[in-house]
Amino acid sequence: MAETKTKTDPKIVDQIRRTRNIGIAAHVDAGKTTMTERILYYTGITHRIGETHDGASQMDWMDQEKERGITITSAATHCIWKNHRINIIDTPGHVDFTVEVERSLRVLDGVIGVFDSVGAVQPQSETVWRQANKYEVPRMAFVNKMDRVGADFFNVVEEMKEKLNANAIPIQIPIGAEENFRGVVDLITMTGIIWDDESLGMEYDEVEIPEDLKEKAEEYRKIMIESIADHDDALMEKYLMDEEISQEEIENALRDATLNRDITTVMCGSALKNKGVQTVLDKVIKYMPSPYDIPPIEGKDPQNDGEPIQRKPSVQEPFSALAFKIMTDPYVGKLTFFRVYSGELEKGSYIYNATTGKKERIGRILEMHANEKKDLDIVRAGDIAAAVGVKEVRTGDSFCSMEEPIILEEITFPEPVIKLA
Ligand code: GDP
């Protein structure tokens, strides 16, 4: 693989640091589709307007998108939010697709668990949660459908603790309930966030905490700080000494605790009414790891009797990637979705499929953005993209450099039960 000077370019490193690879996991009907659509729809608008600077009206773009319909059936898509790139990897919600869920959990760095504020924790959520435990994936939770009759945010938090054994810590509490659900109190900044019912955009108003919620907000802020201080000695000392703790200190501790899977932060909103989706994206940027924050990927060295080896998440390392989904696209044919763990890959170059032992040329590399595909010249550690024209490949195959191959940890699935007549 060609050496390029990009490997030491600080801009590239910064770009990777501003990437998040996340999945949205939920039991059927909790609102995963609605939430993903809202994210793509509204960040799409922000992205476009930011790109063109021509003041094109939001409605024009929305109408166009509506006509085409937003496809979220792709294995991976991405959005741009506040100068960060958020790759969203599809995690199938149906319990029968356990194998697919495992495969998708393997390639992402964080999961947003979506729960129904009325139905709370359903058996399927438990299955996905256990799988996420297995792959040690950091998690955040979004209690959706706060506008529904019977919505109970705190009940979901309790059920997460009881049924999922999660250290669920609210970082927001709801303002209003059911049809009067209006917004949230952010327990970190101690401000109220209100979404206007008429608002179609991603903006929100910051207001004072409503009088009747002040005491409750103080109480839950205390719980939040105590919980993160449990995992942060310096913070605990300050807390015990009753010293002031800055917003930055809270945020750093929340990020570390999320990354170490000590806590699961809990937020709430209504995806249908586009309330709360914005703050989820804000918190994804703040608390979910970038591809550079995750531990090195473990694998086996096929040239050395399968001895264990590692690849650090860095462009300086030899190229390694995992094929996690193969789909057929009506226009370009077979698409192989892959996650790059280390190194970089230029289009038109050759990779070694360490699983099949075959060399393959990667003619085109595509990135998916809602309905569009964009050709890429190069992909790097942390990227998720689709390769066109890989001849012989199955999901779970390892792509790597010819000279320094690696077989990334194989996923072992239970043998199918064959019933004899
Ligand atoms: P998925 O199966 O998890 O992808 O769930 P969907 O996004 O398809 O949502 C299931 C149903 O719940 C649909 O009828 C949605 O319109 C509805 N829904 C989603 N989010 C909300 C919400 O915030 N409030 C209410 N009341 N309904 C919602």
Side-chain angles (χ1 to χ4, degrees):
M1 223 139 302
E3 279 287 325
T4 61
K5 67 176 185 323
T6 61
K7 286 193 177 185
T8 48
D9 186 342
K11 269 205 217 116
I12 300 297
V13 174
D14 181 54
Q15 208 177 313
I16 297 172
R17 288 214 176 279
R18 282 186 288 103
T19 300
R20 302 289 178 273
N21 291 319
I22 59 151
I24 301 174
H27 65 84
V28 172
D29 262 5
K32 188 180 87 168
T33 311
T34 312
M35 177 139 170
T36 314
E37 277 177 356
R38 292 290 182 269
I39 292 175
L40 295 180
Y41 199 66
Y42 293 107
T43 59
I45 295 166
T46 330
H47 184 44
R48 285 305 177 84
I49 286 174
E51 245 175 25
T52 56
H53 298 289
D54 63 359
S57 93
Q58 293 196 3
M59 280 315 288
D60 284 355
W61 192 75
M62 282 164 66
D63 288 345
Q64 279 174 31
E65 273 307 289
K66 227 176 244 162
E67 260 168 39
R68 284 183 290 176
I70 292 176
T71 314
I72 56 157
T73 45
S74 173
T77 184
H78 89 272
C79 72
I80 304 291
W81 182 246
K82 298 188 179 167
N83 208 17
H84 283 66
R85 181 199 168 88
I86 303 177
N87 292 319
I88 304 170
I89 298 113
D90 187 42
T91 44
H94 199 279
V95 76
D96 284 355
F97 298 144
T98 308
V99 175
E100 297 222 356
V101 176
E102 294 224 1
R103 221 162 248 150
S104 58
L105 286 174
R106 184 80 166 67
V107 297
L108 45 78
D109 302 326
V111 163
I112 305 168
V114 178
F115 297 89
D116 182 336
S117 65
V118 182
V121 177
Q122 314 257 326
Q124 273 179 45
S125 324
E126 296 178 43
T127 313
V128 178
W129 208 265
R130 268 201 305 276
Q131 286 165 330
N133 283 343
K134 181 172 153 192
Y135 289 105
E136 305 185 335
V137 186
R139 261 150 288 171
M140 297 174 26
F142 181 69
V143 179
N144 189 30
K145 305 197 186 184
M146 286 302 298
D147 59 304
R148 274 187 71 189
V149 174
D152 189 341
F153 174 71
F154 298 102
N155 178 50
V156 182
V157 175
E158 284 316 306
E159 283 207 4
M160 283 180 67
K161 290 183 191 163
E162 280 164 31
K163 296 188 178 170
L164 304 176
N165 209 9
N167 190 9
I169 308 296
I171 56 167
Q172 299 175 337
I173 58 169
I175 301 179
E178 303 181 348
E179 62 177 357
N180 292 321
F181 173 71
R182 294 189 298 134
V184 295
V185 175
D186 185 309
L187 299 175
I188 299 147
T189 57
M190 287 301 259
T191 46
I193 291 173
I194 300 287
W195 287 278
D196 181 354
D197 266 341
E198 304 303 315
S199 158
L200 287 170
M202 290 301 266
E203 288 84 31
Y204 46 78
D205 291 326
E206 289 194 3
V207 296
E208 268 223 26
I209 300 175
E211 206 53 51
D212 61 334
L213 277 178
K214 279 192 172 148
E215 206 175 306
K216 198 168 191 169
E218 284 296 346
E219 180 196 333
Y220 276 92
R221 179 183 163 87
K222 211 170 150 220
I223 295 174
M224 175 186 77
I225 293 179
E226 276 174 12
S227 312
I228 48 177
D230 269 345
H231 304 280
D232 187 319
D233 293 344
L235 202 69
M236 182 53 98
E237 206 169 304
K238 278 194 154 189
Y239 177 74
L240 292 176
M241 302 301 283
D242 219 10
E243 281 175 41
E244 193 164 330
I245 298 172
S246 71
Q247 188 180 322
E248 196 187 346
E249 284 171 310
I250 296 178
E251 289 182 333
N252 288 342
L254 271 172
R255 200 190 49 235
D256 290 347
T258 305
L259 184 59
N260 295 328
R261 302 174 316 281
D262 292 327
I263 62 163
T264 301
T265 53
V266 193
M267 287 163 277
C268 65
S270 162
L272 188 65
K273 304 211 160 171
N274 193 37
K275 294 178 177 177
V277 177
Q278 306 86 338
T279 39
V280 166
L281 293 177
D282 287 346
K283 305 300 183 194
V284 162
I285 291 176
K286 283 217 158 103
Y287 307 130
M288 284 294 185
S290 86
Y292 268 5
D293 299 321
I294 61 162
I297 181 103
E298 312 271 342
K300 290 179 184 159
D301 185 350
Q303 291 176 325
N304 193 9
D305 284 341
E307 275 295 301
I309 41 170
Q310 288 188 337
R311 291 275 185 273
K312 287 195 208 96
S314 161
V315 279
Q316 319 260 10
E317 293 263 303
F319 173 69
S320 74
L322 187 81
F324 66 92
K325 179 107 185 174
I326 294 157
M327 291 176 107
T328 309
D329 180 274
Y331 301 104
V332 291
K334 189 159 97 176
L335 283 178
T336 306
F337 284 84
F338 63 103
R339 151 92 196 230
V340 185
Y341 285 96
S342 58
E344 54 186 26
L345 173 72
E346 281 179 85
K347 74 164 184 202
S349 55
Y350 284 87
I351 53 126
Y352 178 62
N353 182 334
T355 316
T356 59
K358 298 244 164 72
K359 203 173 146 183
E360 293 259 9
R361 184 173 177 272
I362 306 294
R364 282 175 77 188
I365 306 171
L366 300 176
E367 81 171 6
M368 314 304 249
H369 181 209
N371 257 0
E372 295 156 37
K373 300 178 193 74
K374 191 174 134 198
D375 273 279
L376 299 176
D377 293 330
I378 190 163
V379 280
R380 304 185 174 91
D383 280 338
I384 299 218
V388 183
V390 186
K391 291 197 191 77
E392 209 179 300
V393 60
R394 283 167 311 169
T395 53
D397 283 5
S398 305
F399 293 169
C400 50
S401 85
M402 198 79 196
E403 299 76 32
E404 289 171 275
I406 181 169
I407 297 182
L408 300 168
E409 223 172 7
E410 286 139 307
I411 314 172
T412 46
F413 297 111
E415 290 292 318
V417 179
I418 300 165
K419 284 201 183 117
L420 296 173

